Amino acid sequence: MLRKQLGFLFDTNRCLGCRTCITACAEEKGLPIGVYLRNVELHELRKGAQIIKYYLSTACNHCSNPECFRLCPEHALRKRRDGIVLLNEERCTGCGICVRGCPFKGVAMNTLTGKAVKCDLCQEKLDEKKLPVCVAACPVEALRLIDISEVESRNLDIVRRLPGVAKIQITRPAIRYLPLRYGKQVLRL
Amino acid sequence: MELTYSNVCPSDCRASCRIKTKVRNGKIVGIKGDPLDEYTKTLCVKGYAQLNKVYAPDRIVHPMKQNGKGTGRWEQISWEQALTEIAKKLIAVKKRNNNLFPVCLNKYLGNMGLLSKSIEGFFNSIGFITKMVGSPCVATGVSALNLSFGKCKKPFPEDMLNADLIIIWGGNPAWTTTHQMRYIFEAREKGAKLVVIDPVLTATAARSDFYIQIKPGRDLELALGIAKVLLDEDLIDRDFLIGYSNGWSEFKALLEKVDLAQIEAITDISVVEIRNLARLIGNSKPMTIWLGAGVQHTATGGLAFRVISALSAMTGNIGVSGGNIHYATFEAWEFAGEFASIKPAGTTTSTENKGEVHGHRYIGTGRFAELMFLEPPIDFLWVAYHNPVAQAPDSNAVKKALDSIETVVVADQFLTSTAELADYFLPVASHYEYEDIVVSYWHYGAAINQKAIEPLGESRSDFEIMRELAIKLNKLSPGFSSFPVKRLASDWLNLEMEPQYPRLGIADYHELIDHYRRVDLAEVPWQDKKFMTPSGKYEFPLELALGNNDLYVGETGIYPFRLLRTRNFATHNSQYRVSVCMKGLSEKTRVLLHPEIANLIGVEEGMKVKIYNQLNEIVLPASLSKSMPTDIVVVYLGCEFEQEFEFNSIIALVDTDLGEEYADGKGLAFNDTYVNLVRA
């Protein structure tokens, strides 16, 4: 059996781009104003006459092979047995190498403490069998918590990348997507 | 010690979310959606940011006086000084004029709590004044639906789950009513189709099964085209039309004259696609329509609402589960009359009659320029829960009006662009700082705001401000105000809520702390098909005569681009604009335009664009979007703003076609603004 790897399953067909996940997380973590652990990006691309438009919400992808882990000179990062990548604030000196080095913008600088800060998948909540805050706060269940290895073994209809998003697989990010669907568009004559 | 309180967001929003507030040592440490709330359960992006808004460094918590409007020379003063000076001004106005018409109240929808009505209550208690009334938004839509149905009613929001076809016309619930999207997605999973009709590919439109990119302001014509096809292809419900409607034969005669080729030319939607859409509407049952604010902010918005709702009537989708029109209803509020029934001291009108005595002078909301030409002129203006400089059309006209008025009082939490032109700033407590009740106009849930923390600094609830001002006035001039100052806030809440208790199934409003209660309106309106029009039937819009000037009006603007101002995910009108709580999340105000247009005027992403028309010119960074039509530019309302000018300074004051049936004036066609662009 594959090793457990918790991560996100993201449904682009549901995400509203409403950013509730971002502020719900910031509120839970008590982050200073303007510091967020999640990021929502708009993607717009043309496909023939149609316009594909969707939002992508990402935080730390809890990679199997985390770049932050490799870069941190203080060895402040570690990976739990369930795959969660954790940052030890006591070891962090705030050098910002991980903030700049993460290919997913998954690490932020906490302006209050001067140290790096990142998503910990709400590990304390998980230990209490509760959902991470972003997952619970999403009004349309666009974000789900999954065990990547378990989901992949079940061969569900999920994909590793979305149209218009750079393919970065070297760190083996623990995020999967439901394939993007789009309806018929009648654009103006 | 940690305590948890029940709160509710008082914004002018469909959701009216219940909040669970955690307080430690007198300070809020956490806010969450209340799982008791059957409609919302979770908060929205703005809801979770409220914690930062309460404790925002830019919140003002002391009374202030400005030495010279707009000078920024503010000094902190005591409540005693503020209320004494304001009371003396009011007394002087009355002495000078023998009446209080020079006193003007501009209160709007920044807080939907019941106690906010104490502001009107106070002004009713001192005499007949000048009131700015009505609504730039719902006046048009409610009037239209009142004319068609006799009353504006709607189904429970959850009834959308029963629809086979959901049409969202001119609305973007993905950003304005996020919770509703849960029901829309659930309906789709059960097989329903989602159609979105909008000039821009919104976040909602991007998730639809069928998106129609309509030319803005052409909703009426598209609806007529669809109606024409429904008639031609016999996709109509004769039982409803014969039994329960009035004016069908005239409307039918009108439709027979509609030329689809002409509709295609006007709406930019091909006849083929109009037919496809009409067939989908005619063959899906039940079909429901969400009428959005985009339609009602155009010059023909009222008639458009009537003809769009006629599509529901023609296809027999009125009064059935999963059908009807999802717009708004104020039936859940048809009770709160205590503050409104306060009569000025010495008025002889019978106190038996509830409701406001009509002796005031009324001015339509947003029409600030009119204030400068009144006789007697306005000497005193009180602004509450409103930032008209940012929100009303033609900001410069609003500023000029504020500048011309001797005394301007603004009660708010932040130094808004309106407050910058005030003489007095009165700091208002947030909804976590006093007890109040909010009733949702969308899901009819009634919820309580418990006092979770003490008011910050010296801030006070509006109710306390008005009560203290009444006490001060009567001390300086006995009998000036009839405001019942001995009544406490809790007494008022009980009085306002008492008629509502049986409808909510409670005996005391404190029961709302632990219970979700909904006002007992029907889940599905009009099931008996007994409409509240004079005829008792559904009324087709007969004022339409194809070919006359009201229909097929040409573009009114002399400038080439139509400017649409729409809501952003992180904004609620201007309510989050001055606070830093959305920092880094709500982008700075930008102008969205198609790359071709940007290329034409020689700008790239982020470069500055001058946007101008007959009113003013403003400069904004460009944001290029492939999904924008080439004759439209979009600016999100209420985003971060650093410039000296106001965005609304280029928004023209244009009347919509309806409004008086519901409010005392027409609505405002914000979306009938035209501009030109050059590289700045």
Side-chain angles (χ1 to χ4, degrees):
Chain A
M1 202 177 112
L2 283 165
R3 197 167 174 174
K4 189 172 185 180
Q5 173 63 62
L6 293 178
F8 294 107
L9 178 63
F10 181 74
D11 188 349
T12 39
N13 304 304
R14 282 184 168 248
C15 179
L16 310 172
C18 76
R19 276 81 165 176
T20 302
C21 49
I22 301 180
T23 52
C25 162
E27 187 276 336
E28 171 74 19
K29 300 292 180 188
L31 297 173
I33 287 172
V35 178
Y36 305 107
L37 304 186
R38 201 161 251 293
N39 182 31
V40 173
E41 268 177 19
L42 164 67
H43 289 273
E44 264 187 356
L45 41 137
R46 283 208 90 104
K47 191 183 180 207
Q50 304 289 86
I51 298 151
I52 299 175
K53 172 173 170 169
Y54 69 94
Y55 296 89
L56 175 56
S57 171
T58 47
C60 167
N61 280 327
H62 301 280
C63 303
S64 293
N65 185 17
E67 183 69 356
C68 52
F69 202 99
R70 190 178 72 80
L71 291 174
C72 180
E74 311 299 328
H75 306 291
L77 290 129
R78 68 181 178 90
K79 207 165 159 63
R80 272 181 27 157
R81 288 178 66 84
D82 54 11
I84 302 176
V85 176
L86 294 175
L87 176 88
N88 183 344
E89 256 201 44
E90 280 171 27
R91 285 192 172 191
C92 177
T93 59
C95 71
I97 289 174
C98 57
V99 177
R100 294 186 295 275
C102 172
F104 306 103
K105 295 184 205 150
V107 193
M109 192 56 80
N110 186 332
T111 49
L112 206 66
T113 61
K115 296 185 176 195
V117 58
K118 63 178 279 305
C119 161
D120 63 355
L121 257 176
C122 293
Q123 54 161 334
E124 286 169 16
K125 288 195 178 286
L126 290 187
D127 295 344
E128 292 169 34
K129 305 269 179 244
K130 288 184 185 162
L131 290 172
V133 166
C134 55
V135 172
C138 178
V140 291
E141 294 169 20
L143 265 178
R144 273 177 268 173
L145 179 74
I146 51 166
D147 177 354
I148 300 274
S149 48
E150 194 265 335
V151 165
E152 296 210 316
S153 69
R154 280 197 290 142
N155 205 12
L156 293 180
D157 185 20
I158 58 173
V159 294
R160 283 169 186 256
R161 67 167 295 210
L162 293 167
V165 179
K167 187 180 178 181
I168 304 167
Q169 290 298 337
I170 190 159
T171 64
R172 297 172 62 208
I175 184 161
R176 296 294 182 272
Y177 312 102
L178 290 176
L180 185 62
R181 293 189 309 262
Y182 29 89
K184 176 181 170 178
Q185 293 177 346
V186 176
L187 302 180
R188 272 170 60 190
L189 295 172
Chain B
M1 195 173 60
E2 195 167 275
L3 296 164
T4 305
Y5 293 92
S6 273
N7 288 96
V8 52
C9 179
S11 286
D12 175 17
C13 172
R14 295 182 183 89
S16 301
C17 297
R18 287 178 64 121
I19 303 165
K20 277 286 171 207
T21 310
K22 259 190 210 164
V23 175
R24 202 180 298 139
N25 302 324
K27 198 169 182 243
I28 303 175
V29 293
I31 46 179
K32 293 268 179 294
D34 185 346
L36 270 182
D37 196 319
E38 288 169 16
Y39 179 70
T40 63
K41 297 179 181 72
T42 58
L43 303 180
C44 74
V45 59
K46 301 165 287 257
Y48 287 107
Q50 272 177 10
L51 182 57
N52 287 336
K53 199 177 174 202
V54 172
Y55 296 110
D58 51 347
R59 180 172 162 192
I60 313 270
V61 294
H62 300 283
M64 308 228 285
K65 184 180 181 177
Q66 186 168 218
N67 297 308
K69 287 189 183 72
T71 59
R73 293 203 303 271
W74 289 97
E75 59 167 315
Q76 189 178 322
I77 57 173
S78 65
W79 274 108
E80 175 62 24
Q81 184 187 343
L83 294 180
T84 304
E85 289 185 16
I86 291 166
K88 282 182 176 165
K89 300 261 185 204
L90 288 170
I91 292 165
V93 167
K94 193 170 180 182
K95 209 168 178 182
R96 208 157 54 214
N97 295 274
N98 236 346
N99 63 54
L100 281 166
F101 289 125
V103 170
C104 181
L105 172 63
N106 176 230
K107 183 217 155 190
Y108 207 53
L109 300 174
N111 183 311
M112 309 295 267
L114 289 186
L115 279 186
S116 73
K117 292 177 189 296
S118 61
I119 301 167
E120 284 100 335
F122 166 83
F123 282 96
N124 284 345
S125 83
I126 61 171
F128 296 127
I129 62 159
T130 303
K131 282 190 178 179
M132 299 194 82
V133 292
S135 159
C137 309
V138 293
T140 309
V142 174
S143 290
L145 298 181
N146 278 352
L147 288 170
S148 292
F149 296 89
K151 189 162 191 172
C152 203
K153 288 174 182 264
K154 66 170 205 60
F156 274 16
E158 295 87 348
D159 189 52
M160 218 175 243
L161 282 172
N162 302 319
D164 198 35
L165 176 65
I166 299 167
I167 297 182
I168 299 179
W169 197 316
N172 185 14
W175 282 5
T176 61
T177 320
T178 51
H179 304 96
Q180 190 68 23
M181 293 305 288
R182 184 193 302 151
Y183 300 101
I184 292 173
F185 286 147
E186 206 178 310
R188 282 177 80 186
E189 273 172 13
K190 294 199 300 177
K193 290 259 177 295
L194 173 65
V195 172
V196 175
I197 301 170
D198 203 298
V200 291
L201 185 72
T202 60
T204 311
R207 302 277 71 82
S208 65
D209 296 296
F210 192 9
Y211 165 57
I212 308 282
Q213 189 185 50
I214 190 178
K215 191 170 182 184
R218 295 311 185 179
D219 311 282
L220 169 61
E221 290 86 350
L222 180 61
L224 280 170
I226 296 167
K228 162 90 173 169
V229 178
L230 291 174
L231 175 67
D232 286 355
E233 303 198 2
D234 197 22
L235 296 168
I236 53 177
D237 182 327
R238 287 212 168 67
D239 290 345
F240 182 88
L241 293 172
I242 294 165
Y244 307 107
S245 80
N246 198 28
W248 166 241
S249 55
E250 291 90 339
F251 191 67
K252 189 175 158 214
L254 171 85
L255 293 180
E256 277 157 3
K257 284 188 273 172
V258 168
D259 174 8
L260 285 177
Q262 213 176 347
I263 299 285
E264 171 180 301
I266 291 166
T267 59
D268 275 0
I269 309 297
S270 71
V271 175
V272 172
E273 294 299 351
I274 294 172
R275 278 191 205 285
N276 282 339
L277 180 56
R279 285 171 190 156
L280 187 60
I281 290 172
N283 291 316
S284 310
K285 284 215 171 52
M287 181 273 300
T288 192
I289 302 177
W290 169 299
L291 274 173
V295 178
Q296 71 187 4
H297 283 154
T298 64
T300 51
L303 265 181
F305 261 47
R306 294 203 65 195
V307 178
I308 295 168
S309 66
L311 303 177
S312 292
M314 287 172 71
T315 51
N317 278 299
I318 300 296
V320 299
S321 175
N324 297 295
I325 305 287
H326 287 263
Y327 174 58
T329 183
F330 300 106
E331 289 177 288
W333 292 350
E334 284 168 359
F335 64 98
E338 287 303 321
F339 283 117
S341 62
I342 295 175
K343 310 281 188 291
T347 317
T348 50
T349 321
S350 160
T351 47
E352 308 279 297
N353 290 335
K354 286 260 166 114
E356 194 165 283
V357 181
H358 283 277
H360 298 291
R361 176 165 69 174
Y362 296 105
I363 300 291
T365 186
R367 292 159 177 86
F368 277 80
E370 289 180 28
L371 292 185
M372 291 185 289
F373 305 103
L374 294 176
E375 198 52 53
I378 302 298
D379 292 332
F380 180 102
L381 172 69
W382 185 288
V383 183
Y385 294 128
H386 198 197
N387 180 5
V389 171
Q391 289 298 116
D394 195 356
S395 304
N396 289 339
V398 180
K399 285 184 181 176
K400 215 168 139 190
L402 293 174
D403 223 27
S404 74
I405 297 168
E406 190 185 297
T407 307
V408 175
V409 178
V410 172
D412 210 312
Q413 291 173 11
F414 296 91
L415 202 60
T416 62
S417 40
T418 300
E420 282 172 10
L421 292 171
D423 299 283
Y424 294 92
F425 180 93
L426 305 180
V428 180
S430 80
H431 55 282
Y432 297 97
E433 298 161 23
Y434 61 95
E435 194 178 67
D436 203 354
I437 290 166
V438 173
V439 181
S440 162
Y441 58 79
W442 184 249
H443 57 89
Y444 326 130
I448 187 168
N449 259 320
Q450 287 188 285
K451 182 177 174 177
I453 54 168
E454 287 300 317
L456 256 61
E458 291 182 281
S459 55
R460 289 178 179 177
S461 71
D462 279 278
F463 170 76
E464 282 305 324
I465 295 171
M466 300 333 293
R467 185 172 164 269
E468 294 287 332
L469 184 56
I471 292 170
K472 178 60 71 187
L473 271 167
N474 287 341
K475 205 168 146 197
L476 295 172
S477 172
F480 197 94
S481 161
S482 63
F483 196 81
V485 295
K486 290 212 174 86
R487 256 184 225 163
L488 304 174
S490 53
D491 300 332
W492 281 109
L493 288 175
N494 243 320
L495 275 170
E496 295 280 5
M497 290 298 287
E498 235 165 17
Q500 204 69 343
Y501 287 154
R503 301 181 70 189
L504 290 164
I506 55 172
D508 182 291
Y509 67 84
H510 292 98
E511 289 178 45
L512 298 173
I513 295 170
D514 298 314
H515 300 94
Y516 177 79
R517 286 284 182 271
R518 202 175 262 206
V519 180
D520 63 347
L521 296 173
E523 274 183 50
V524 176
W526 310 122
Q527 289 180 75
D528 57 3
K529 312 276 196 295
K530 285 183 184 143
F531 298 99
M532 293 166 84
T533 52
S535 65
K537 296 187 168 180
Y538 172 84
E539 293 284 347
F540 279 97
L542 296 185
E543 59 273 49
L544 275 174
L546 202 63
N548 84 4
N549 289 339
D550 286 330
L551 202 56
Y552 298 166
V553 278
E555 294 288 322
T556 50
I558 54 166
Y559 296 97
F561 300 99
R562 193 159 178 154
L563 170 68
L564 303 182
R565 39 164 247 172
T566 64
R567 271 195 195 165
N568 178 267
F569 60 89
T571 64
H572 192 100
N573 296 333
S574 64
Q575 284 190 314
Y576 289 83
R577 191 176 82 158
V578 285
S579 174
V580 298
C581 72
M582 286 288 174
K583 194 178 164 199
L585 194 60
S586 163
E587 62 247 328
K588 297 212 170 20
T589 302
R590 305 171 300 165
V591 55
L592 273 64
L593 67 165
H594 193 277
E596 266 178 37
I597 304 306
N599 192 31
L600 207 67
I601 59 170
V603 301
E604 288 166 27
E605 180 74 33
M607 282 170 67
K608 296 210 161 146
V609 181
K610 186 188 281 181
I611 312 167
Y612 68 93
N613 63 10
Q614 72 281 10
L615 292 173
N616 204 14
E617 55 180 56
I618 64 171
V619 177
L620 292 175
S623 176
L624 312 193
S625 164
K626 295 182 197 89
S627 68
M628 287 291 301
T630 51
D631 57 350
I632 297 172
V633 293
V634 166
V635 176
Y636 293 133
L637 197 58
C639 289
E640 269 186 75
F641 213 81
E642 284 167 355
Q643 294 82 0
E644 284 300 301
F645 50 79
E646 280 291 334
F647 165 50
N648 271 24
S649 65
I650 57 169
I651 301 289
L653 197 159
V654 178
D655 281 339
T656 63
D657 53 344
L658 283 176
E660 293 93 338
E661 287 75 11
Y662 169 69
D664 283 293
K666 288 199 158 68
L668 296 174
F670 291 103
N671 288 340
D672 274 44
T673 295
Y674 295 84
V675 297
N676 204 354
L677 312 168
V678 287
R679 184 176 161 168

